[in-house]
Every structure is written in C-alpha cells, then in structure tokens.
Amino acid sequence: MAVYLDHAATTPILEDIAKEIYQAMLDCNGNPSSTHQYGRLSRTKIESARAEIAHILGASTGEIFFTSCATEANNMILNRAPIDLGVARIISSPLEHHCILHTLERLEHEQGIEVVLLDVNHEGRVNIESLEELLPSNKKTLVSLMHVNNELGNVLDLERVAALCNEGAAYFHTDAAQGVGKFAYNLETLGAHFLTASGHKFHAPKGIGFMYMRHDAQLKPWLTGGAQERNIRSGTENLHGIIGIHKAMMQAYDHLDDRVTHLQQIKSHLKKELRDRFDDIMFNGTENSQSPHILSVSFPPSAKNDMLDMLLDMDGILVSGGSACSSGSVKASHVLEAIGSPSDRKTIRFSFSHVTQMDEINKTVQALENILLG
Ligand code: PLP
C-alpha cells in the first residue's frame, strides 16, 4: 500500500461510510420529490442530513443547501451576489482557490465588477487590516476569503474578518473547503453570510458539498428547474452523496478533538524529523495559525528537485508537488508565486487525515533521505 499524504487534495471514503452509502443504494432510491413512500424515505434522509449538518455548524436547517461541490457553491455565491444583492465590488486575495479567482476574473471582465485582491506577505498572511480602509464603501461589497489555505495551511481569523465586514456593512463569504471537518464553527454567532464546504475533503464521496447562506442574505435560484433545495439549486438531489456527507460530518465532529490532536502529533513529528535530518529546510506559511492537516515544506536547491514528487511517487509516497496540472500542462502554483517563493527551491505539500499513521511519516522521511541524501 502506498503512503497517501495528499488529504488536502481529497480523502478516501471510509469503509463504514462506503457501506452506509452502498446499503442506501440498495434500499433507498426514490426520487426525493415523489410523494409516495419511496420518495418520502429519500426526502427524510436528505432533511435529516441537512438538519444535523446545520446543528453541527450552529446554523438553521433552512440555511444549508446541498451542491455538487465547493466549486459550485463558490461559483453560485460570487455569480449571484452582484445580481441578487447588488454587490458591485468583491474583495478577495490572490491565495484563493482557482474556483474563486477564475470566477472573479470573469465577473470583472464580463460584468465590470470591481475586484480588489488584498496584499499578502511572504508567509501568505492576508493583510486583513486593510479592510478597515476599504470599508465601508458606497459600493456594495462582498468579501470572499478562504478559511484555510489549501496549499499553505494558513488559517484566517474568521471572527476578525467577520467583525470588520459587519462594521463596514459588507457581505462576508468564506470558502471553508479545507476547514470543515477540522475546525468547529458557530455560524449563528460568527457573522459570516456565506460558507462553503466539500464532502470529499473529510471522507465523504466526491461530488457532494454544501453552502451555508444566512437567512438575511438570500440569493435567487442558481439552477432553475424542479425547485429542489428550496428552489435555489434545482436538479434531483445527490441522495447517496448526501447520505455520505451526513455520516462523514457526524464522525468528523463526534471525534473532532481526537482527530485534531492526532493531526497535530503527525504534523509536528514530520516537521521535527525534517528539521533534524535535512539542512536548510524551510516551512511555507505562517508560523502560528496553521491548520494541523497541512505542512508545506520548502526544500533547498537540488538537482533532484524537479523530479522530487515523481521520485517519491515511485517509492510509494503520494504527495503534492507545489504545482497544479490542469488540462495536461503543469503550472507553478499561483499561491507560491504570490508569496514570492524562490523558484530554485522545491515545495512539497504533505497533508494528513486522522487515518495517517506515524510509521507512514517515518517511511516518508526515509524515502526523502534516500532520494535527497543517498
Ligand atoms: N476551495 C478550496 C480551498 C479547496 O481546497 C478546494 C479543493 O481543492 C476547492 C475549493 C474545490 O473543492 P471541490 O473539489 O469540492 O470543488
């Protein structure tokens, strides 16, 4: 079995979650919009998932909407906010996921929405203090900042940003695709208007996510059709995906403290081993305010750097190599570029989940030694 340290990209579906979905695929197949008993059974599963997810996050049931993924939920918020909420300016950062940045580019070019990207420093800390100068404004504003950065592991101070947005009369959206399942939220008190999440980041299947939309920040239908999801997002619901994300959420929050403690131990062990064994190792991201599931490591210049992730792969260690492959071409990461990461160094992102074992970390360090020092 390979050592899988790419949990920020996606997580495996846990066996008991897969079993529950499989059983539901055999037993529960009615269209949730049908009024007969098969339909009602499916509807019950969806609504109990919605209610429990809302409860875990301190939201009301009517504020949770299932989507196909975080990308869809983020697109929906950014695209609809100018139309439905009169947003004329969106403040974000250059470190956001492409589903935010590419959407902002389009909104700017096609609809003339003003886009402001906040400065970031070499650690990837977003200059949220500048919100004090930018807000309030006579242009209705949406602030869209991710909770946990998927490449660096940096954690945004959500409470502070929400307070600044509320003082400055701006809407606040946070992409929490990397945060949900690892952090506790109380959306009732937080002050965010929108939050998005993705099931496959915390052991649910791919193709299911959700959006929190606060009762006083109502968007109009994003997909029109059969009026599912309270008419916001039509299309027959991904019933089995919803059953999966429901179970994954329950497990994540029932065991949150244990999982986080385990992640912290894994991450600090890897950090220590790397520091002890390699010269000139650096860690990307902020020193404090880090998520326990991501460690972004900057290796010093070496002839092996270009192939490091591939050589690790050949040794059965699966990581992310600080670049993204889209449509077949490998591009340097926009996040590493934005923080001015030196191009002669090599970044590897190691990311973990509660299933990651200490001996997998030891194997990884050994493989790195063999490749870089052997
Ligand atoms: N936002 C962040 C921060 C992510 O890490 C990801 C996935 O990598 C996404 C959004 C997109 O999530 P999905 O795969 O559910 O569309």
Side-chain angles (χ1 to χ4, degrees), residues 303-322:
K304 307 265 179 66
N305 274 0
D306 281 348
M307 295 177 304
L308 187 52
D309 34 331
M310 202 183 74
L311 292 169
L312 283 168
D313 190 4
M314 284 163 65
D315 272 357
I317 313 287
L318 314 188
V319 297
S320 167

Side-chain angles (χ1 to χ4, degrees), residues 8-9 68-72 74 97 99 146 148-150 175-178 197-201 208:
S68 63
C69 55
T71 296
E72 185 198 339
N74 288 336
H97 191 270
C99 65
M146 69 208 310
V148 178
N149 184 275
N150 50 308
D175 169 1
Q178 295 291 342
S198 181
H200 74 94
K201 306 293 186 185
I208 183 69

